[in-house]
Every structure is written in structure tokens, then in C-alpha cells.
């Protein structure tokens, strides 16, 4: 029902409503969409959404969620809970649980009242809330189109924003439209909503709708609709000048003018309070009370906090509704506009404010049922300045938020409790923990909320406050800091873990405080085992394999002694991975299998096993086995209802095996889905490395270069703590630079091979050495090769010659550096590589096409035109089948330059020595004699640098990739 002060017809928003209808039509075709409606307070967001809801409700189930204004700390998932409860009301609890599939149990985190109906899936402590909400909406939308409207997102908690980010990324099917609204002036710099908005702006399926102020003619139409007649010009001029085209202010001013005598108010506050001040004392008192409760207050709750009898409440409420300040539905009262509520709330006297908030807190604490209201209770006690009651309420809210995986709210409530700690007598007794433990729990919540830097700052406070003679507690805090450093990809974890181990020697007894977010204690044995495993893991990532094996072996023994299968599985996992990379392949694979068995009842440990086991098989060259392990994990994630959260980690792990097997389109799909959902800088580095590789070899070097420029700083930083990133990143960067004709820059990227602290990881080292050999050959072709480089590469190759894939990569290295000038122009060497990659299952999918291209290049260099054409045709055929556009383009270009026919009609030769200057022809003649740049400079009395410039110009004009090819093409073109 429209307010009597509202225009019967919506004015000035016709185009926006038409746009919403068009987007809704797309969702009915099974294409999920999102819309973000924004504008200043009073601009008409709610009215637009009301009109759209009325339209859409004829064809879809419309679900609405309202964000709640609880100051700096919002209630976790409040609008999502409203949406899901609306769904339960419409379809029934059993239907909603059935739609949730295997993850239905997670819905109890949002709706505890469903707990008696939800079956335990046995998935442990996995966070399946995001996955399950997405599954429910997609499943229901197959039968009923859904419109989900979430209003006032500027008040949303971080958990709600994270869930929305997830939904709008993963919803790939279903008839679902998600409509969001927020008030622009309340989203200042640093507001968490800004991060979500910036991501949504880049989404093709999300549309932004910014509402503008009304024009003068539109405002006049609005006044006519409200009054039913045209206003006189003077009165309208006054209304428009004061409202500045904001529809809500136009309405308020028109009502004031028509019901009050005197001059129109000029200030916003006067305008907003004008209707309120004309009400009876009883109605004003009720509105002041409701303003302390929020924008919307349930009637049952209001009845508990209202001091009068039910008749007095109803009389006052009716008066406020008739005055168009409140609106009522079947169970609650809400302010017609949040601005009115804010004006009344600001007008409360200090004592009145504290009294009202205390009443709401007491009523909420006494509320029966299983709905979680701890955050609201804490908010009201804090607003009432009752420190004694606010403190335990904040702790209860922290625990409640943790139970629903709302880590952002849990961290905020932990920080509130810490702020109050020193003002509360016997805080440690009330909290049932030390302040140090609360600091550690808050740091853990921040870490889980993705606030890596803040988690480190808080754990540093805990370490500063903790006496070092509390050995176990201090050691656990050191462990936490080491883990948080690893989470953000920063160095320093290893020294901290070593220090912690000194405080927990073998045989230690006792318990190590409650620093984990769940508040659980940890025995000394469990702590020592965890420290040893964490140390072994960091040592493994840094390629300190011998030390990692020693730590992991000790960790495994401690875990068995402590009776912890979880810690034993993780220790076996790290031990096996380190053994494999140090040459103990049989032993390592056996320990990885032990990790699998020990992780049978621990989902998190099983995930870690699958990640490392898949990695190991991939690096050993067993690509199908690696993919199989990852796919089994993805299938299990699907069964548990976490395919789009935990399952994404396993999808990212499948990317490299898919690339090696030649399933590039599927790898692209996995990268797309994973990179949108994984906030981990480590996994993002792995995925971006794979994407740069694919873009380069597909031939889209421009896109690859743009991506590389955007991520290279973060990838290099992560490489300081993870050797696989340090070795894997330069390979794709160098291949990109080689494809762009920049061998000197490529060589700079490969300098990690010659660092003083270089430590090999064989599976990453060997492909990198092959790329280095190719780069060295290109430098030799331009006369710029560094002295002694080949000897250093060969020495590095010898160090990892025992690895299963070494013979394959060694053959490629030999071919890259073979030939008269060491530039890879020996056809026999490349023929050997072609034969090897054609039959060796360890060969990655792109190598046959590349080897054929290099064979053709070598045959061109020695003048074997027919053989070159055959090899290039083979290269193009293989490259086209794979999608390796880079090889196809390079082979085609080489054939064109050499005048080779790849078809029945001979191609025209494009190389033309007559395009060269006289000096360049002199330099070309000396190149043909095998002279270096320095020797050319001496012969022509020019500097070596000038000679290099001439050589580069010759290569460019002739379209040659090497000095040898340039001399050959010039001879052929004469």
C-alpha cells in the first residue's frame, strides 16, 4: 500500500524500471544476473524496488533481505537469513533442505531452528555455507524463478558481502536475479562494500543502476501526483529549491506545506522531524523507542520493551502509521525511511538512549527459541554503555559468529571485548581465558576473514604481552605468527618455528592455552608435533629437503605418540613429498599413501594429501595419475557439498596435469572458476603462472604480457618463500619474452638459476633449464651470449639427472645448444627430440609441435628445404590440433620467409637483401663468415654495440630468428 504522501505513479524512474524488467527477462532464460541500485538517501531506491517486486512477483518468487544498522558491527548474515527464512516460509523446511543436497546441514549455521531436521553428513568442520546457499538457490530456481532483493548493503556485515561475492561469481545456471541496493554517501573510502563493488563492476552479468535527482519537470509531475492538482509556481519553486530534486524531500515538503502553517523548513533535520513533532507525546515516545531498536522492529520484541499496555502500544503505533512515519506488515514495524529514524535517534537524550538500549538487550537475552541474536545483544549493551554486560555479550557474539563461519564479525566482536577488557573487574574469570588467549583467538578470526596484516598485528600484541616463561603458550603464539606469515606469502616463518620448538622440547607435558579460534586447548605433544610439521612444510616449500625430512620424521613420531591421526597424516604427507624431491621416490610415495590412510576421518588432512600427492605425480611425469587424484578429490567435494569452495583448490591442482595432457580448454575453464574464488595469494600465483603459459603458447602474447605485468611483483615476493614459485615463474616469463623477441630480458628472468642460494626442485628445474638453453641459443644468434653460460647450465642439469623426466629435458637442452654456432641449428639433434617426444609418455603436450618447429628451423639453416617444409607442416598440424597458436604462427612465418611451400602452390619468398643498407649488407656478409659482433666491429672499425644494432636491424628486415637463418635467407633471395 502506497503512502498517502507518496506519488501514486513513480516519477523519473521509468527507464530504470524498464532496465530491471529487461534483465529479469534474461534470468527467465536461465542466465543468472545481478543488479546494483545505488544513490543518495531519499533518491527513490526503495520505491523503484517496490515497483519492480510488484512486477516480478507475477512470474517469480521474490525474497527480500534487509541489512540491519547495528553501528560498526553488523549482525552476521542478517539479510541472507531473511532470504532463506522467506524461502522456508514459501516452500517448507523439508523442501529447502532437500534443495541443499549433501551440504544441507550447513543451513543450520544460518537457521539454527532447522537443526533437528538436518542430517549430519560427516564432513567435519568444513565451511559449506556459501556452497549450500548457492546450491539451494540454483535448485529451487529450476522450478520457480527467483528474485533476491537485498537492501541497504552499506550496513552489511563482511560475511554477507563475502557470500554475495561468492554467489555472483559462481551462479552459472538457474533463473536467479540478485538485486542489491546501497546508499552512496555511506560507502566512504575503506568501506568493505567498496571491494565488492569494484569486483562487480568487472562482471559481465552484473549491471549498475545509479539513480539521479529529479529534474524540475519531473519534480513538478511528482507534486501533481501527490496533490492531485497543479501547485502554484511560487509554492513549487520553494519546494524544488529546498528538495534539490530528491524525491523523498519533495514528498516531505509537500506534506508539510499542505498540513502546516508557516514557512517551509530549510534544514534537513527540521524537515525530517516536522511530522514527528506534530504527534502526541505517546506516539513520539514509541518512535524514540523504536529508533533505538533499528530500522525495523518485530512486534513481539517491541511489546517486551514498551513500558505501556498493549492498547497504548497499538494506539501510538497506529498514529505513527497514519502520519506516514511508520509502516507495518504482519509482524513488524519499520520507519518509512531510514533518514527519519536517524533523525529521531540523534534527538534522544543520553539517559533515554541508555535506558532504551538496555531494554532491547534484556528482551533479546530473554527471547526463546534458537535464533542467534548475540550480536544484537552486544550492540545494545555497548550502546547503553553498560560495560559489565557488554563484555560477556561481545564474547558470546564472537562465539556465535564463529559457529556460522562469520569470521569478520567474530574478529570485530573479539576486538570489542579487548577494548573493554581493562574496564571490567575480573575480566579473566568472566571470559574464562587470559587476555593473551583472546588476542590469539581474535588474530585467528582475522586470519580466517582474510585480514592477514591485521592478524599479524594482533598476534604481535599477544606475543608482546605473553611472558616468555609461559613456554607452551608463547610457543603456540609463535606458531600462529609463523602460519600467518605463510598465509600472506611473507618470509620469517622458519626462525619463529625453530624458536618455538626450543620452548617445547621432546617429552614436554601440559597444555598450551586456548589460542585457536575454536578456543580448544592443545597438549604439549600435539603442539610439538604441529610445530615440527609446520617447520617441515616451510622447509619443503623452501626446497630444504634434507632438513624437512628430519623434521617430518620427528613430527610423525610425536603425532603417533600423541595419538593424533590428523597430525600423523600431515607429517607423512610432508615427509613423502620431501623424500620424493630428494630422490627417495619409492619411500616418498609410500609415505604419501600413509597420509591418505591416516586422513580417512579428517577432511582437511585429506585435502592436503590430495594436493601434495597430485603435485608429486605431476612432477614425476605421471600426468594422468595426477589428474585422477585431483578428480577424486573434486568428486568427494561435490559429495560433501563444497565443490565450489574446498573443491576449487583441487580444481586448481588439476590445471597443470590438464595442460600437460593437452586438455587446454578444460584447464582454462578450471583456471577461470578457481581464480575467481580463491583468495589465497599462493594459489593465485600458481593459477596465474598457468594462465600466462597458456596465453603465450596459444599466441596471445599481448594478453600474457599484460597479465605478467600485473602479477609479477606479487609472484616474485612469494618466490622468496616458495621455491616452486621461484622456479616456475621465470620459466613462463622467459617463454613470453622469447615469444616477443626479447631474449636479453628473458635471460634476466632466468638469473634465479645462478643465485648463490639456488636450490633445485627437479620437477620445476628441468623445464626451466630447457627454457634457459633456448634463451641462450637466441642470445648466441644475436651475438650477445654471456660467457660460460652453457657450462653452468650443464652443471645444473647434471645435479638433477636422476629425476625420471631428466632424459627428456636433457635431450631438449642438448638440441637447443647444438649446431655449429650452438644456436640449435643441428637437424639431427632435433630429430632425436622429435622421436623422443613422439613416444615418451613423460612428454608434455606442447613439446611435439615445438620440437617439429625447431627441426624445421634447423633444416632451413642447413639448406634442407624439402625436409624443412615437411617438419613445419607437421609442426603446424600438431599445433593446430592442440591450440598452440604460437607454434603455428612461428612455423608459418618461417616457411614464408624461407619461401617454403606448405601447400601445393609454392609460397612467395619475402626475404629481400636489397632492403638492407650498404653497411647492413657489409655486416650480413661478415655474419655469413661466422664473425661475432666484437669481431665485426673490429673489421669495420665500429663498436660492438653499433654492430649489435646493425645485426638487430638485419634480423628484423629479413624476418629471421637467428644470424644463421639471416645469412641463409639472404643467399636464397639473391
Amino acid at each position: 500500500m502506497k503512502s498517502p504522501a507518496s506519488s501514486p505513479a513513480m516519477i523519473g524512474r521509468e527507464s530504470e524500471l524498464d532496465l530491471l524488467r529487461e534483465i529479469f527477462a534474461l534470468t527467465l532464460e536461465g542466465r543468472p544476473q545481478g543488479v546494483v541500485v545505488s544513490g543518495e538517501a531519499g533518491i527513490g531506491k526503495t520505491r523503484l524496488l517496490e515497483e519492480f517486486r510488484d512486477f516480478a512477483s507475477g512470474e517469480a518468487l521474490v525474497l527480500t533481505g534487509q541489512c540491519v544498522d547495528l553501528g560498526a558491527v553488523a549482525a552476521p548474515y542478517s539479510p541472507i537469513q531473511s532470504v532463506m527464512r522467506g524461502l522456508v516460509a514459501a516452500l517448507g523446511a523439508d523442501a529447502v533442505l532437500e534443495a541443499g543436497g549433501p551440504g544441507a546441514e550447513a543451513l543450520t549455521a544460518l537457521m539454527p531452528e532447522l537443526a533437528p531436521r538436518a542430517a549430519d553428513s560427516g564432513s567435519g568442520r568444513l565451511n559449506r555455507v556459501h556452497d549450500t546457499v548457492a546450491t539451494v538457490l540454483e535448485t529451487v530456481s529450476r522450478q520457480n524463478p527467483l528474485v533476491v532483493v537485498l537492501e541497504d548493503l552499506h550496513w552489511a556485515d563482511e560475511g554477507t558481502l563475502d557470500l554475495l561475492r561468492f554467489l555472483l561469481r559462481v551462479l552459472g545456471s538457474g533463473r536467479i536475479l540478485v538485486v542489491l541496493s546501497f546508499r552512496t554517501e555511506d560507502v566512504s573510502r575503506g568501506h568493505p562494500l567498496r571491494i565488492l563493488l569494484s569486483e562487480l563492476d568487472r562482471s559481465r552479468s552484473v549491471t549498475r543502476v545509479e539513480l539521479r535527482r529529479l529534474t524540475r519537470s519531473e519534480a513538478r509531475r511528482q507534486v501533481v501526483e501527490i496533490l492531485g492538482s497543479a501547485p502554484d509556481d511560487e509554492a513549487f519553486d520553494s519546494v524544488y529549491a529546498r528538495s534539490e530534486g530528491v524525491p523523498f524531500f519533495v514528498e516531505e515538503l509537500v506534506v508539510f506545506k499542505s498540513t502546516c502553517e508557516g514557512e517551509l523548513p530549510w534544514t534537513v533535520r527540521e524537515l525530517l522531524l516536522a511530522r514527528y513533532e506534530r504527534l502526541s507525546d505517546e506516539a513520539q515516545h514509541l518512535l524514540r523507542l523504536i529508533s533505538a531498536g533499528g530500522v525495523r522492529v518485530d512486534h513481539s520484541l517491541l511489546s517486551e520493551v514498551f513500558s505501556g499496555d498493549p492498547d497504548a502500544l497499538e494506539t501510538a503505533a497506529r498514529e505513527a502509521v497514519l502520519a506516514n512515519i511508520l509502516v507495518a506488515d504482519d509482524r513488524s514495524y519499520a520507519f518509512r525511511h531510514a533518514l527519519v529514524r536517524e533523525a529521531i535517534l540523534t534527538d534522544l537524550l543520553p539517559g533515554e538512549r541508555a535506558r532504551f538500549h538496555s531494554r532491547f538487550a534484556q528482551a533479546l537475552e530473554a527471547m526463546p527459541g534458537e535464533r542467534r541474536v548475540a550480536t544484537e545483544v552486544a550492540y545494545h549493551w555497548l550502546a547503553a554503555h553498560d560495560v559489565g554486560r557488554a563484555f560477556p555479550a561481545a564474547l558470546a557474539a564472537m562465539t556465535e559468529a564463529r559457529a556460522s563461519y562469520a569470521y569478520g564479525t567474530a574478529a570485530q566482536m573479539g576486538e570489542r571485548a579487548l577494548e573493554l577488557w581493562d574496564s571490567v573487574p575480573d575480566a579473566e574469570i568472566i571470559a574464562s581465558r587470559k587476555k593473551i588467549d583472546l588476542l590469539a583467538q581474535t588474530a585467528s578470526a582475522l586470519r580466517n576473514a582474510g585480514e592477514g596484516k591485521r592478524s599479524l598485528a594482533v598476534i604481535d600484541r599477544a606475543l608482546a604481552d605473553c611472558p616468555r616463561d609461559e613456554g607452551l603458550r608463547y610457543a603456540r603464539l609463535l606458531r600462529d605468527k609463523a602460519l600467518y606469515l605463510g598465509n600472506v606469502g611473507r618470509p620469517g616463518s622458519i626462525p619463529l618455528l625453530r624458536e618455538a620448538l626450543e620452548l617445547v622440547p621432546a617429552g614436554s607435558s601440559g597444555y598450551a592455552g586456548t589460542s585457536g579460534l575454536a578456543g580448544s586447548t592443545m597438549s604439549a605433544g600435539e603442539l610439538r608435533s604441529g610445530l615440527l610439521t609446520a617447520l617441515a612444510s616451510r622447509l619443503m616449500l623452501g626446497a630444504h629437503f634434507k632438513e624437512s625430512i628430519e623434521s617430518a620424521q620427528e613430527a610423525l613420531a610425536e603425532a603417533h605418540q600423541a595419538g593424533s591421526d590428523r597430525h600423523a597424516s600431515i607429517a607423512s604427507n610432508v615427509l613423502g613429498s620431501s623424500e620424493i624431491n630428494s630422490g627417495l621416490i619409492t619411500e616418498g610415495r609410500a609415505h604419501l599413501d600413509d597420509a591418505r590412510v591416516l586422513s580417512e576421518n579428517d577432511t582437511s588432512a585429506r585435502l592436503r594429501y590430495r594436493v601434495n600427492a597430485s603435485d608429486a605425480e605431476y612432477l614425476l611425469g605421471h600426468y594422468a595419475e595426477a589428474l585422477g587424484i585431483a578428480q577424486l578429490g573434486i568428486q568427494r567435494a561435490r559429495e560433501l557439498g563444497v565443490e565450489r569452495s574446498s573443491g576449487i583448490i583441487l580444481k586448481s591442482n588439476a590445471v597443470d596435469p590438464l595442460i600437460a595432457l593437452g586438455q587446454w580448454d578444460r584447464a582454462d575453464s578450471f583456471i577461470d572458476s578457481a581464480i575467481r574464488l580463491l583468495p589465497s595469494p599462493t594459489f593465485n600465483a600458481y593459477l596465474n603462472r598457468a594462465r600466462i603459459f597458456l596465453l603465450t603458447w596459444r599466441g596471445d602474447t599481448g594478453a600474457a604480457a599484460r597479465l605478467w605485468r600485473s602479477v609479477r611483483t606479487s609472484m616474485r615476493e612469494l618466490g622468496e618463500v616458495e621455491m616452486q614459485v621461484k622456479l616456475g615463474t621465470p620459466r613462463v616469463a622467459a617463454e613470453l619474452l622469447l615469444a616477443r623477441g626479447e631474449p636479453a630480458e628473458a635471460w634476466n628472468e632466468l638469473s634465479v638459476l645462478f643465485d648463490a642460494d639456488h636450490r633445485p626442485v627437479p620437477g620445476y628445474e628441468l623445464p626451466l633449464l630447457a627454457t634457459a638453453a633456448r634463451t641462450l641459443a637466441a642470445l648466441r644468434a644475436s651475438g650477445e651470449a654471456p660467457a660460460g653460460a652453457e657450462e653452468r647450465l650443464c652443471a645444473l642439469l647434471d645435479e638433477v639427472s636422476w629425476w625420471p623426466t631428466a632424459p627428456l629435458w636433457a635431450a631438449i637442452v642438448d638440441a637447443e645448444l647444438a649446431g655449429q654456432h650452438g644456436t640449435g641449428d643441428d637437424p639431427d639433434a632435433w630429430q632425436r627430440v622429435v622421436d623422443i617426444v613422439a613416444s615418451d609418455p613423460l612428454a608434455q603436450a606442447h613439446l611435439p609441435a615445438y620440437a617439429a618447429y625447431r627441426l624445421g628451423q634447423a633444416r632451413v639453416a642447413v639448406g634442407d628445404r624439402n625436409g624443412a617444409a615437411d617438419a613445419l607442416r607437421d609442426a603446424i598440424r600438431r599445433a593446430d590440433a592442440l591450440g598452440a597458436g604460437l607454434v603455428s604462427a612461428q612455423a608459418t612465418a618461417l616457411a614464408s620467409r624461407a619461401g617454403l611451400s606448405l601447400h601445393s602452390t609454392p609460397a612467395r619468398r619475402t626475404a629481400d637483401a636489397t632492403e638492407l643498407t650498404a653497411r647492413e649488407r657489409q655486416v650480413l656478409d661478415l655474419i655469413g663468415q661466422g664473425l661475432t659482433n666484437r669481431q665485426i666491429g673490429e673489421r669495420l672499425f665500429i663498436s660492438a654495440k653499433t654492430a649489435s644494432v646493425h645485426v638487430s636491424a638485419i634480423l628484423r628486415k629479413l624476418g629471421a630468428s637467428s644470424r644463421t637463418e639471416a645469412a641463409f635467407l639472404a643467399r636464397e633471395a639473391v
Side-chain angles (χ1 to χ4, degrees), residues 407-408 410-412 415 439 441-456 458 517:
Y407 298 114
Q412 289 177 314
E415 289 174 326
L439 281 165
Q441 289 164 6
T442 303
S444 180
L446 286 165
R447 174 246 192 157
N448 281 282
E451 297 282 353
K453 291 183 179 178
R454 287 177 61 201
S455 70
L456 286 168
V458 174
L517 180 58

Side-chain angles (χ1 to χ4, degrees), residues 411-434:
Q412 289 177 314
M413 299 315 302
E415 289 174 326
R416 294 292 178 276
L418 288 167
E419 291 168 3
L420 298 174
W421 187 284
D422 293 336
S423 302
V424 178
D426 300 321
E428 188 172 316
I429 295 173
I430 294 171
S432 300
R433 74 201 85 177
K434 292 179 177 288

